[in-house]
Amino acid sequence: MSSAFLIKTPPQKVTVNGWVFYTSTALILLLTAILIIAPQEAGRLLGIAQAWLSRSFGWYYMVVIAAYLVFVVGLAFSSYGKLKLGSKADTPDFSYGAWAGMLFSSGIGISLLYFGASEPLDHYFNPPEGVAGSQMAARQAVQLTFLHWGLHGWAIYALVGLAVAYFAYRHNQPLALRSALYPLVGERWVKGAAGHAVDGFGMFVTLLGLVTNLGIGSLQVASGLENLFGMEHSNTNLLIVIIVMSTVATIAAVSGVENGIRRLSNLNIVLFSGLLIFVLLFGPTLHLLNGFVQNIGDYLNGVILKTFDLYVYVDDGAKSDRWLGLWTLFYWAWWISWAPFVGMFIARISRGRTVRELVAGVLLIPLGFTLAWLSIFGNSALDLVMNQGAVELGKTALTQPSMSIYQLLEYYPASKVVIGVSIFVGFVLFLTPADSGAVMMANLSCKGGSVDEDAPHWLRIFWSVAITLVTIGLLFAGNFEAMQTMVVLAGLPFSAVLVFFMFGLHKAMRQDVQAEQERAELVALRVYS
């Protein structure tokens, strides 16, 4: 192990990192300006770029996503799994229950409301292979939905969380993305151009994910209010929803991890679980339970096949390629775009945990609930469309996905009350990733301070406002889909950064274990002598 790798620099005062802050802000503003000023041309060019990426790099996305999952699971089961994220004397900052609650809420957001009913229905009507609208299409629809929300995505979060936490708490490096490159390029490069580039691009990718989240969240809440109160869809209503949601999220971000985010996490669990149990008990309960068990079996049975399925041997290759780009590749890029801030948030709350604890917690705690939600809401929607003639629900899932869950709930008792609760659930679900994202964006903009020290309040407010303004601009310019396309494009280079994270983390762990063994042998030798 090099001596540079063992250097621990004392914390300095928290200051803005000019290189990272100004370059990432300029890049974000430039992109937004182009998308707003020339929405049609920008959208056309981005569409061409996305189609090219899907054709040329679809295989790469499949391979690298599988590699992330195999890597983190391998670490957990290996001897490295016993390594603690911190010194031997460190204890976890949060109780297991509080930690599990924040893990649950860090990656589970309002998108589950958006896609819970609409995605299985979309795959049912537009499958990548097979006959649309058939029983097999329905079965495949839930299997594909499980794939997109399953182990692969959570493994990306676990990888970033592990890498950042390991170097922050074991080697006293900044709680930043750049720290994961430390064993590969050394302290000089990490503090210089390479580190600035990784943090700056990580902020850019993160903002794309946060803007997408705010866009989906505002559309989801606005659709619920339109359904509940019979309002017409208008930009004015959407603007009011965005401003209110962003204001509350900013207040929560300023309050910090220990206060705002933890309380919101606890509220998330109660409300989300209550809505899930309601749909299960007041729907076709036996059918839903049977479906969930079979969906789990289909997912586990086909996880290897679907991980590498590029639909090469299908009759309509162009249709399957387009489906792959719109769905699977978009999801993989979307998970990657969320990985910087979700991973850093996971690292922020995981001091004192072992590598095995973090991997198991991230992969299993949110996953079980996610799959249960998708199965129960997805099968409820499919049952209504296939067996109860809910034609409008099927049409809505394809044309206005954000409205589909509310139309589904209209078939349940006390629908107005339940829809009102679901709107509030969506609002709270939006807040947790929004406020934690603003905190992490602010932290990446800074340098100095201890690993537990968050950025100043004004910087959190700045990023909350920036995310809000970018979202409003794109929604009102009618070019929000272009931002979603940018998520896919930006995910490609950042996926390569995560590959370097794997090499750096493995190198550091191997060196640490070797150093511990040498110390143990030296102690034993002294005792023996």
Side-chain angles (χ1 to χ4, degrees):
M1 187 187 305
S2 66
S3 59
F5 190 64
L6 293 172
I7 293 175
K8 294 188 177 183
T9 55
Q12 302 172 343
K13 182 181 178 181
V14 176
T15 57
V16 173
N17 188 327
W19 283 100
V20 173
F21 178 76
Y22 292 115
T23 54
S24 60
T25 302
L27 183 61
I28 290 162
L29 292 177
L30 177 62
L31 171 66
T32 305
I34 293 173
L35 294 179
I36 293 175
I37 294 171
Q40 286 78 21
E41 184 64 17
R44 184 183 69 82
L45 292 176
L46 287 174
I48 293 173
Q50 183 184 17
W52 171 81
L53 186 146
S54 298
R55 290 193 307 270
S56 304
F57 290 95
W59 64 270
Y60 164 78
Y61 263 119
M62 296 302 201
V63 171
V64 79
I65 291 294
Y68 300 150
L69 176 59
V70 171
F71 178 76
V72 296
V73 172
L75 285 183
F77 279 99
S78 72
S79 58
Y80 298 139
K82 299 177 182 178
L83 292 173
K84 183 178 285 190
L85 303 175
S87 66
K88 290 184 177 181
D90 282 341
T91 57
D93 294 336
F94 301 97
S95 68
Y96 191 83
W99 180 70
M102 285 189 282
L103 283 181
F104 175 91
S105 297
S106 63
I108 292 181
I110 198 169
S111 300
L112 274 183
L113 284 177
Y114 187 91
F115 288 107
S118 64
E119 183 176 346
L121 287 175
D122 199 306
H123 298 331
Y124 171 71
F125 287 113
N126 300 296
E129 60 182 344
V131 180
S134 64
Q135 295 288 339
M136 286 306 298
R139 182 175 181 177
Q140 181 184 226
V142 183
Q143 183 188 32
L144 290 170
T145 304
F146 272 30
L147 174 72
H148 295 154
W149 291 87
L151 288 167
H152 299 78
W154 298 104
I156 300 172
Y157 291 170
L159 171 60
V160 177
L162 264 183
V164 174
Y166 193 84
F167 294 106
Y169 301 135
R170 285 186 69 94
H171 295 278
N172 200 34
Q173 293 301 307
L175 195 72
L177 300 173
R178 68 175 68 202
S179 298
L181 300 179
Y182 195 61
L184 297 179
V185 300
E187 185 174 15
R188 180 168 169 268
W189 280 95
V190 165
K191 290 185 175 180
H196 295 329
V198 169
D199 280 353
F201 192 69
M203 289 178 62
F204 176 69
V205 173
T206 296
L207 184 126
L208 296 180
L210 291 173
V211 167
T212 304
N213 179 63
L214 178 55
I216 288 176
S218 58
L219 289 170
Q220 188 68 44
V221 172
S223 295
L225 294 173
E226 292 164 13
N227 180 285
L228 188 62
F229 299 109
M231 299 187 306
E232 292 293 326
H233 179 72
S234 70
N235 286 339
T236 301
N237 293 336
L238 187 59
L239 179 61
I240 294 172
V241 168
I242 292 174
I243 292 174
V244 171
M245 293 173 72
S246 300
T247 300
V248 177
T250 303
I251 295 171
V254 170
S255 69
V257 172
E258 288 78 4
N259 297 315
I261 298 175
R262 180 166 56 180
R263 291 170 182 170
L264 285 174
S265 299
N266 295 335
L267 185 58
N268 272 355
I269 296 173
V270 174
L271 294 175
F272 217 22
S273 301
L275 188 57
L276 177 67
I277 293 171
F278 173 84
V279 172
L280 173 64
L281 295 180
F282 288 91
T285 305
L286 184 59
H287 170 72
L288 295 178
L289 292 174
N290 289 336
F292 182 41
V293 172
Q294 182 164 332
N295 297 151
I296 291 290
D298 287 342
Y299 172 60
L300 295 177
N301 182 55
V303 67
I304 296 178
L305 172 64
K306 289 301 179 183
T307 295
F308 300 100
D309 196 348
L310 289 163
Y311 304 101
V312 174
Y313 304 103
V314 295
D315 295 332
D316 191 347
K319 174 189 172 184
S320 297
D321 285 345
R322 184 174 181 275
W323 183 93
L324 196 68
L326 290 173
W327 286 103
T328 303
L329 297 186
F330 168 72
Y331 264 107
W332 295 159
W334 199 15
W335 282 99
I336 289 171
S337 74
W338 279 58
F341 89 85
V342 176
M344 284 184 61
F345 178 74
I346 291 171
R348 175 72 174 79
I349 63 175
S350 298
R351 182 207 285 269
R353 302 285 173 187
T354 64
V355 170
R356 187 168 297 143
E357 277 183 302
L358 188 146
V359 172
V362 174
L363 290 188
L364 301 179
I365 291 174
L367 180 66
F369 184 90
T370 300
L371 297 186
W373 178 276
L374 294 170
S375 177
I376 290 171
F377 275 86
N379 284 315
S380 297
L382 288 167
D383 178 64
L384 287 170
V385 171
M386 297 170 66
N387 302 320
Q388 300 184 42
V391 178
E392 285 301 315
L393 176 59
K395 292 180 180 178
T396 300
L398 299 177
T399 58
Q400 192 181 357
S402 59
M403 183 66 77
S404 58
I405 193 169
Y406 304 118
Q407 285 197 358
L408 182 150
L409 292 174
E410 289 177 357
Y411 290 86
Y412 287 77
S415 60
K416 292 297 182 183
V417 175
V418 178
I419 289 172
V421 172
S422 66
I423 296 170
F424 183 69
V425 169
F427 183 64
V428 175
L429 285 172
F430 159 78
L431 292 178
T432 306
D435 58 22
S436 60
V439 171
M440 294 305 113
M441 288 280 286
N443 288 350
L444 280 174
S445 305
C446 294
K447 59 183 178 179
S450 65
V451 294
D452 293 324
E453 191 172 355
D454 286 326
H457 291 170
W458 72 265
L459 202 53
R460 305 183 208 179
I461 295 171
F462 170 84
W463 283 115
S464 291
V465 172
I467 293 165
T468 303
L469 292 178
V470 171
T471 305
I472 292 173
L474 292 171
L475 284 174
F476 281 67
N479 213 17
F480 187 70
E481 290 183 1
M483 182 58 77
Q484 293 176 292
T485 304
M486 278 300 303
V487 170
V488 178
L489 299 179
L492 179 65
F494 200 75
S495 68
V497 174
L498 298 187
V499 173
F500 287 113
F501 278 20
M502 291 193 294
F503 283 106
L505 191 58
H506 182 264
K507 180 180 179 180
M509 287 181 172
R510 187 181 70 248
Q511 291 174 336
D512 285 354
V513 169
Q514 182 179 354
E516 287 183 1
Q517 290 175 345
E518 291 174 354
R519 284 195 296 269
E521 291 173 0
L522 182 60
V523 170
L525 183 61
R526 288 175 178 173
V527 171
Y528 179 76
S529 60

